[in-house]
Amino acid sequence: MAALPKRIIKETQRLVSDPVPGITATPSEENLRYFQVTIDGPSSSPYAKGRFDLELFLPDDYPMCAPKVRFLTKIYHPNIDKLGRICLDVLKDNWSPALQIRTILLSIQALLGAPNPDDPLANDVAVDWKSDEAKAIATAKEWTEKYAVPSTDSS
Amino acid sequence: MSDEYDSYESDLSFEFEEEGYSSEETESQDSPGSNGSPASESTSPNALCKLTYRSFPMLSFIEENFIAKAQDLRSLFLPDFSVDQLLIMLQYKNWLKLEVLSDYYDNWPKFREACGLCEESGHERFKTVKDFMCPVCCESGDLQVFSLQCNHEYCSTCYRTYVETTALHGAIVRCIEPLCNLAVLHLDIVSLINMLPTGVSLTEELQKLDLKKNDETDGDEKEDSDTDLLSLESSETNRNDPSPFHVTADLYFDVFDFSKTLTSTDGLDHLNDVNPLLNSPALLQAARISVDSRFKKFSWCPALDCPSVVQLETFVNKTDSNQKQESRLSKVPIVACFKSHEFCFNCRFENHLPSPCWLAEKWIKKCSDDSETLNWLQAHTQGCPECLALIEKNGGCNHVVCRKCQYEFCWICFGPWSEHKSSFWQCNRFVPEEVKETELNKSKHLLSLSRYLHYYQRFAAHQISMAGDYKTLGTIHAHMLNYMKYTSFTERNSISWNDIQYLSDSYKGLCAGRKTLMWSYAFAFYLCPNNFSTIFESMQDFLNDTVEKLSQLLEQLKLMQPSKTLRVLIANKREKFVELTALVLQRRRMLIDCANSGIEKGDLVFLQTS
Ligand SMILES: [Zn+2]
Ligand SMILES: [Zn+2]
Ligand SMILES: [Zn+2]
Ligand SMILES: [Zn+2]
Ligand SMILES: [Zn+2]
Ligand SMILES: [Zn+2]
């Protein structure tokens, strides 16, 4: 395996020494390009109180290409599909090598606070969201409680 | 869905623009021709089809469709801008000159912002900065940095990698800084890419492709890759079977051109020298996208790595779902790229005459759908490939004897009966899903399969042979190279590459013959058997016969060592080669004509089933 680029080392160090509030990112021991991530739902959103698990992988051509990020926790959100894939411009066309893991995770947290049903990934969720927002928000809360609120018996 | 609609739209507006600028466009359209590339109008290799088109290298496409447009804009309307800046405006507006002008006159500041252009201010793009920390790679020191007028500095190595990566998206390349919209001009892209020895420029890339092609001629990897494609038990027959996917993916399009191998000019090199803009991978990618979106008029050559474009001069009605069964061969728009790869503009397969497009598509689909069944069947019936079509079950007994060759086998597993005598019921283990049907269905199913197998085997055989012919020619070519290299000039002055150019023509003829034969088997598979289909099949035999004779002749040459004898023989065989090649082409033509008139008169009828 090739040596880890300086860039990744620096980013990892900073993620650990100067963590972003509400976000954790821990590199895996076997593969330093693979991160276990948690994001806390923004307090003003239907995802409040939830803690969502994600996985993040830095491909070989990172930072020329965006990191690959995916939700592991089930989530009801118009821009996140069943497989946890995220529709976010900075992860695709608007990626810039000057962006970082930190900025990406912040963008994802912001996405939880501001769902965008007009640019959906999960079509059925987006349709619900547009036809009956209140009901959709209720479902999102329900799912958050069911899947994302840390239960007492684990950990 | 929406993609298709979009491309349709842009196609329309393209047409519109051409009308608006007809006089200039016609002038600029001649440019590839004047550069020495064969861009004059050609007529379809399908003699039945009235169709004219032009073929040229993709760099000519870029010159003609992108750079010439920018030059026009500059000389006629916007002299204050550089061609490079105008290219960005054009790219932003999908290469539509009228749209650029309308946005420019409408609201220039807004348009400029959207394109990401700014006033040229003599900004120094490359400079060395003391103690610079690059935010992308985190290296620091006295680094060479690159920046646009916005002064967003990144080390030039990162910038180059960034540009190379982003160019592949085909959109305008912007400053690295997030949210900075400034465009990296194509000349900047070119200077970034040429800046350092690491990384590969387009020219090197093209050279590499050429080298790769030459390697393939004497390499043995072909067979290996074939085995990989088949997830089967290893057996001699299977190893040589091409996957049906070869039909679409790896077309044996490549043709040797002996006269060119020594001088190695591809008609591209001189273009690169003329205009450095042509080295921009971003323009290259934009060209790809542009061609794809104007699919009614333009097409890439589908041959692997062939950098050429075909532009139709005649309008072709793409067969839509309403007329799926268009069977007239005069409606099959065969074109040839500037490297003489023939393909169908309608379905983008190789030249599939005498099959109509719908039949070619159906056949290819069938081959890939049935590939597993096929492989299974072939693996299990090796003992009796010739009379396979005649297999019938003798009453209820699973012990079957082939009427023609007396081969005895097990109806359940297709294994030889001799192995069953002691422990018959063991064979149940191997029963594959598709034969676990009722007795009646089974024999029907098998009958139709074996009919299919009959035609498929012949179809595939020619495909395999084509690869074999290619190898043979490669060996001859290598012999010749050796001979030219180690023989003194006086000794070999009686023979030159031009003297054996006829071999290349013969190979082309041989390929053309095999292609037509392949597709004539697909054609025959869908044919109702009648008197006329019998006539068709006898014409097939004629072509088959001549093709194999020509192939043998080529094979004989391969066995000779490069020496005086080779020289003499090559000279002596010439007449025979030319004669046989002409005969192949003539019989090929006759076979296609026979299919054509049969269809038009209604003598040849297609089966309704799949
Ligand atoms: Zn850098
Ligand atoms: Zn900038
Ligand atoms: Zn071609
Ligand atoms: Zn076709
Ligand atoms: Zn037999
Ligand atoms: Zn058996």
Side-chain angles (χ1 to χ4, degrees):
Chain A
M1 198 180 159
L4 214 56
K6 205 176 241 178
R7 153 89 183 238
I8 298 184
I9 296 170
K10 287 218 163 184
E11 274 202 72
T12 310
Q13 281 168 351
R14 199 174 153 216
L15 279 168
V16 174
S17 66
D18 176 19
V20 196
I23 292 174
T24 67
T26 326
S28 135
E29 303 216 339
E30 302 92 69
N31 184 352
L32 294 170
R33 288 175 173 270
Y34 183 87
F35 292 73
Q36 285 165 319
V37 175
T38 66
I39 295 181
D40 293 347
S43 51
S44 55
S45 74
Y47 310 100
K49 295 200 184 79
R51 169 162 292 192
F52 295 88
D53 288 323
L54 293 89
E55 59 179 2
L56 181 147
F57 179 72
L58 303 175
D60 281 345
D61 35 8
Y62 180 82
M64 290 306 152
C65 291
K68 307 223 175 303
V69 201
R70 187 171 80 94
F71 271 83
L72 296 173
T73 308
K74 264 180 85 112
I75 182 166
Y76 190 80
H77 189 290
N79 309 106
I80 300 163
D81 73 2
K82 282 195 197 92
L83 298 171
R85 293 176 301 191
I86 307 160
C87 178
L88 188 61
D89 60 343
V90 286
L91 286 175
K92 292 174 185 136
D93 297 343
N94 287 347
W95 168 254
S96 151
L99 293 170
Q100 299 181 8
I101 301 176
R102 166 184 302 268
T103 38
I104 286 300
L105 296 180
L106 278 166
S107 306
I108 294 173
Q109 198 177 37
L111 187 68
L112 294 184
N116 178 11
D118 290 321
D119 182 20
L121 189 62
N123 245 326
D124 44 338
V125 180
V127 169
D128 290 356
W129 213 278
K130 282 170 108 169
S131 63
D132 188 348
E133 196 174 330
K135 189 172 157 245
I137 287 175
T139 313
K141 273 187 187 156
E142 204 178 292
W143 282 38
T144 305
E145 262 161 50
K146 203 164 159 194
Y147 303 112
V149 174
S151 53
T152 38
D153 49 278
S154 78
S155 80
Chain B
M1 270 306 268
S2 71
D3 270 356
E4 222 170 81
Y5 183 67
D6 283 345
S7 6
Y8 183 62
E9 275 251 293
S10 68
D11 206 18
L12 278 185
S13 27
F14 172 73
E15 301 279 348
F16 170 67
E17 193 193 26
E18 278 210 331
E19 267 164 39
Y21 281 84
S22 52
S23 57
E24 303 151 38
E25 291 284 349
T26 357
E27 233 173 288
S28 66
Q29 268 176 7
D30 291 329
S31 57
S34 60
N35 276 321
S37 43
S40 52
E41 274 194 14
S42 317
T43 48
S44 175
N46 177 2
L48 304 163
C49 174
K50 284 192 186 65
L51 175 72
T52 53
Y53 61 90
R54 296 188 312 133
S55 307
F56 40 85
M58 69 173 142
L59 294 184
S60 302
F61 176 89
I62 295 174
E63 270 199 326
E64 180 178 319
N65 289 277
F66 299 167
I67 296 174
K69 278 185 184 176
Q71 283 162 343
D72 278 358
L73 281 175
R74 183 171 145 88
S75 58
L76 294 167
F77 304 99
L78 306 169
D80 298 335
F81 296 95
S82 67
V83 168
D84 216 2
Q85 287 174 316
L86 289 162
L87 279 174
I88 298 289
M89 296 187 217
L90 279 165
Q91 191 171 2
Y92 185 71
K93 284 280 141 192
N94 270 320
W95 310 103
L96 301 175
K97 283 194 289 191
L98 279 181
E99 297 247 323
V100 167
L101 285 174
S102 109
D103 275 34
Y104 173 79
Y105 290 120
D106 210 28
N107 187 343
W108 166 236
K110 188 175 158 222
F111 185 43
R112 182 177 68 186
E113 165 63 24
C115 294
L117 295 171
C118 65
E119 306 291 340
E120 274 300 339
S121 56
H123 172 79
E124 204 185 332
R125 282 158 157 76
F126 291 95
K127 54 184 163 234
T128 304
V129 176
K130 269 194 175 305
D131 229 359
F132 179 81
M133 211 281 280
C134 171
V136 170
C137 60
C138 295
E139 298 295 338
S140 48
D142 299 347
L143 295 179
Q144 188 193 38
V145 304
F146 177 90
S147 66
L148 300 171
Q149 286 93 329
C150 53
N151 266 318
H152 294 128
E153 291 173 338
Y154 294 89
C155 88
S156 48
T157 316
C158 281
Y159 233 113
R160 195 200 55 212
T161 321
Y162 166 72
V163 157
E164 281 171 346
T165 317
T166 321
L168 297 179
H169 304 169
I172 295 171
V173 180
R174 312 273 183 186
C175 171
I176 290 189
E177 186 79 7
L179 304 178
C180 178
N181 200 32
L182 223 54
V184 185
L185 300 185
H186 289 289
L187 282 178
D188 288 333
I189 292 176
V190 173
S191 49
L192 274 167
I193 281 171
N194 292 335
M195 171 187 73
L196 293 164
T198 37
V200 187
S201 74
L202 172 71
T203 352
E204 288 170 56
E205 204 69 75
L206 286 173
Q207 279 165 358
K208 254 198 274 169
L209 283 180
D210 272 3
L211 284 178
K212 230 197 306 179
K213 271 181 203 156
N214 290 341
D215 283 350
E216 273 166 20
T217 60
D218 44 21
D220 277 355
E221 308 104 287
K222 257 287 95 76
E223 277 174 27
D224 293 343
S225 64
D226 279 349
T227 359
D228 286 344
L229 282 166
L230 298 164
S231 52
L232 267 200
E233 317 92 293
S234 59
S235 87
E236 211 44 47
T237 25
N238 290 329
R239 225 179 39 157
N240 292 327
D241 268 352
S243 150
F245 294 112
H246 277 203
V247 180
T248 45
D250 188 5
L251 313 172
Y252 289 110
F253 263 146
D254 290 80
V255 253
F256 274 83
D257 195 339
F258 285 120
S259 61
K260 278 186 183 168
T261 21
L262 272 191
T263 43
S264 99
T265 46
D266 246 343
L268 302 173
D269 306 347
H270 70 283
L271 283 174
N272 293 19
D273 298 338
V274 172
N275 197 334
L277 277 172
L278 291 172
N279 282 319
S280 165
L283 272 188
L284 215 67
Q285 191 59 20
R288 290 208 177 92
I289 291 169
S290 176
V291 164
D292 285 345
S293 66
R294 286 141 76 185
F295 58 90
K296 282 187 177 169
K297 232 183 155 179
F298 290 91
S299 175
W300 293 108
C301 173
L304 230 53
D305 298 325
C306 180
S308 54
V309 184
V310 167
Q311 176 183 2
L312 289 193
E313 298 286 318
T314 325
F315 181 67
V316 170
N317 242 331
K318 257 187 95 72
T319 43
D320 53 34
S321 41
N322 298 332
Q323 31 169 197
K324 266 231 161 78
Q325 295 279 118
E326 172 60 76
S327 292
R328 284 172 294 172
L329 297 186
S330 57
K331 298 288 175 188
V332 180
I334 303 294
V335 294
C337 83
F338 88 108
K339 290 190 155 195
S340 42
H341 306 138
E342 291 181 3
F343 66 96
C344 172
F345 200 93
N346 185 21
C347 54
R348 315 280 148 118
F349 294 141
E350 59 187 2
N351 183 346
H352 54 67
L353 288 174
S355 296
C357 295
W358 66 264
L359 195 153
E361 279 170 51
K362 211 167 171 178
W363 175 257
I364 285 172
K365 189 172 179 303
K366 183 168 181 56
C367 290
S368 54
D369 287 352
D370 291 356
S371 59
E372 265 177 55
T373 321
L374 259 179
N375 290 334
W376 179 84
L377 250 182
Q378 285 191 315
H380 291 262
T381 52
Q382 285 172 46
C384 196
E386 260 317 295
C387 50
L388 192 62
L390 299 172
I391 292 173
E392 271 176 356
K393 200 164 174 266
N394 293 332
C397 177
N398 283 321
H399 175 188
V400 182
V401 183
C402 170
R403 275 188 193 163
K404 205 167 169 186
C405 71
Q406 309 303 318
Y407 177 66
E408 298 178 40
F409 63 95
C410 164
W411 183 248
I412 296 173
C413 71
F414 283 86
W417 191 254
S418 53
E419 287 175 12
H420 283 70
K421 279 173 186 161
S422 50
S423 50
F424 174 72
W425 295 111
Q426 273 184 5
C427 80
N428 281 340
R429 258 187 269 155
F430 306 107
V431 175
E433 217 65 276
E434 59 267 36
V435 285
K436 270 193 218 151
E437 292 166 354
T438 65
E439 295 287 297
L440 183 72
N441 278 343
K442 183 154 66 183
S443 60
K444 260 191 185 168
H445 180 60
L446 189 70
L447 203 68
S448 87
L449 258 181
S450 46
R451 182 172 178 278
Y452 167 52
L453 198 59
H454 170 92
Y455 291 103
Y456 176 75
Q457 278 175 331
R458 279 151 188 80
F459 179 87
H462 281 290
Q463 198 169 30
I464 295 164
S465 305
M466 219 180 293
D469 294 338
Y470 185 73
K471 257 191 185 169
T472 306
L473 199 70
T475 315
I476 296 170
H477 183 242
H479 283 340
M480 278 307 290
L481 269 178
N482 254 332
Y483 177 73
M484 298 299 234
K485 207 168 165 186
Y486 297 110
T487 320
S488 70
F489 182 75
T490 34
E491 217 180 327
R492 70 169 154 91
N493 66 358
S494 49
I495 183 166
S496 77
W497 287 100
N498 278 338
D499 289 329
I500 57 163
Q501 186 55 38
Y502 75 85
L503 275 182
S504 175
D505 297 337
S506 290
Y507 176 72
K508 282 182 202 171
L510 188 55
C511 273
R514 289 208 191 274
K515 281 260 154 70
T516 304
L517 275 172
M518 278 167 64
W519 288 102
S520 73
Y521 287 116
F523 182 82
F525 173 72
Y526 291 104
L527 223 47
C528 279
N530 62 19
N531 285 345
F532 296 100
S533 71
T534 317
I535 296 175
F536 179 79
E537 286 182 343
S538 66
M539 317 251 318
Q540 238 176 349
D541 292 340
F542 282 135
L543 180 55
N544 234 324
D545 184 58
T546 326
V547 158
E548 292 309 333
K549 273 191 186 135
L550 184 54
S551 182
Q552 270 172 31
L553 203 60
L554 198 65
E555 191 80 10
Q556 284 167 17
L557 274 192
K558 184 178 83 169
L559 301 173
M560 294 161 197
Q561 287 308 305
S563 64
K564 274 186 192 166
T565 357
L566 173 74
R567 192 188 70 199
V568 171
L569 280 171
I570 281 178
N572 287 352
K573 296 271 183 193
R574 184 197 182 107
E575 209 174 308
K576 190 74 187 155
F577 267 106
V578 172
E579 183 193 312
L580 269 178
T581 309
L583 195 56
V584 164
L585 293 176
Q586 188 200 333
R587 293 192 158 165
R588 171 179 181 249
R589 180 71 208 273
M590 281 164 67
L591 185 65
I592 293 169
D593 283 347
C594 170
N596 179 53
S597 65
I599 294 168
E600 303 251 316
K601 287 185 198 147
D603 296 339
L604 292 175
V605 185
F606 295 108
L607 293 165
Q608 289 308 302
T609 55
S610 62

